[in-house]
Amino acid sequence: MKKNLLICFSFALLFFTACGRKDCCVTPKNDKPFLTAEKSGVQWEVSPATATYSQDTINVYGSNYKTNPEEVFGFLLKVNAEGTYNLDGKQAYYYNTVGQDVSVSGYKLDDTFANTVKVTTYDKTAGIIAGTFQIKFIKTYDNPTGSYPDKIAFLNGKFKVALHK
């Protein structure tokens, strides 16, 4: 009888303590900043990614120094709430560098495409901005001439970054 009671007590103890922590079965949130897209059809990520704001404009950007040549990508938004924002003029940029300081290519927005950023999270108090983007660029220069693609598309893009002043 004592043996059966001990077995039942052991199973009860195991049952009540196995998932006793409230977070044991919860998937942790990914709070790491990211900036990803399909760059001309290939999965692409830039790291580190961040955002700064000055006056009324937020600059979401990242640099990829793991590639050769290096990449710098970003877009500028005048955000005051969640929603869809159209980009034009110089509100987005992409260029390549060598040695992190010599620019070897430059691109401007393709004004024949509806370049958009959809902000799905904008929490100024927590310092977080997140969303999606669709951006296409046209080459303005490269060195040596003809060594970089004439057009680059960043489609199905996603971002989540911390806001820094």
Side-chain angles (χ1 to χ4, degrees), residues 56-108:
D56 62 349
T57 303
I58 296 174
N59 183 10
V60 176
Y61 64 94
S63 303
N64 191 352
Y65 296 124
K66 297 175 188 171
T67 60
N68 185 18
E70 302 97 8
E71 301 174 286
V72 178
F73 170 86
F75 50 87
L76 306 164
L77 300 170
K78 290 189 178 192
V79 174
N80 52 17
E82 296 167 357
T84 301
Y85 296 85
N86 296 319
L87 302 178
D88 58 14
K90 295 183 180 183
Q91 285 185 280
Y93 52 92
Y94 176 77
Y95 58 92
N96 297 105
T97 61
V98 174
Q100 299 181 16
D101 63 349
V102 178
S103 181
V104 293
S105 78
Y107 291 82
K108 68 175 187 168

Side-chain angles (χ1 to χ4, degrees), residues 15-91:
F15 178 75
F16 287 112
T17 60
C19 278
R21 292 186 2 227
K22 291 183 180 178
D23 63 343
C24 77
C25 300
V26 177
T27 305
K29 289 193 304 183
N30 181 6
D31 289 331
K32 181 181 174 190
F34 64 88
L35 185 58
T36 66
E38 291 174 14
K39 177 185 165 197
S40 299
V42 177
Q43 191 58 38
W44 173 85
E45 180 177 358
V46 68
S47 181
T50 193
T52 58
Y53 60 96
S54 175
Q55 298 171 356
D56 62 349
T57 303
I58 296 174
N59 183 10
V60 176
Y61 64 94
S63 303
N64 191 352
Y65 296 124
K66 297 175 188 171
T67 60
N68 185 18
E70 302 97 8
E71 301 174 286
V72 178
F73 170 86
F75 50 87
L76 306 164
L77 300 170
K78 290 189 178 192
V79 174
N80 52 17
E82 296 167 357
T84 301
Y85 296 85
N86 296 319
L87 302 178
D88 58 14
K90 295 183 180 183
Q91 285 185 280

Side-chain angles (χ1 to χ4, degrees), residues 127-148:
I128 298 288
I129 185 168
T132 61
F133 58 91
Q134 308 285 339
I135 300 174
K136 289 186 178 183
F137 293 99
I138 297 174
K139 181 174 65 178
T140 57
Y141 70 91
D142 62 352
N143 185 15
T145 301
S147 57
Y148 293 90

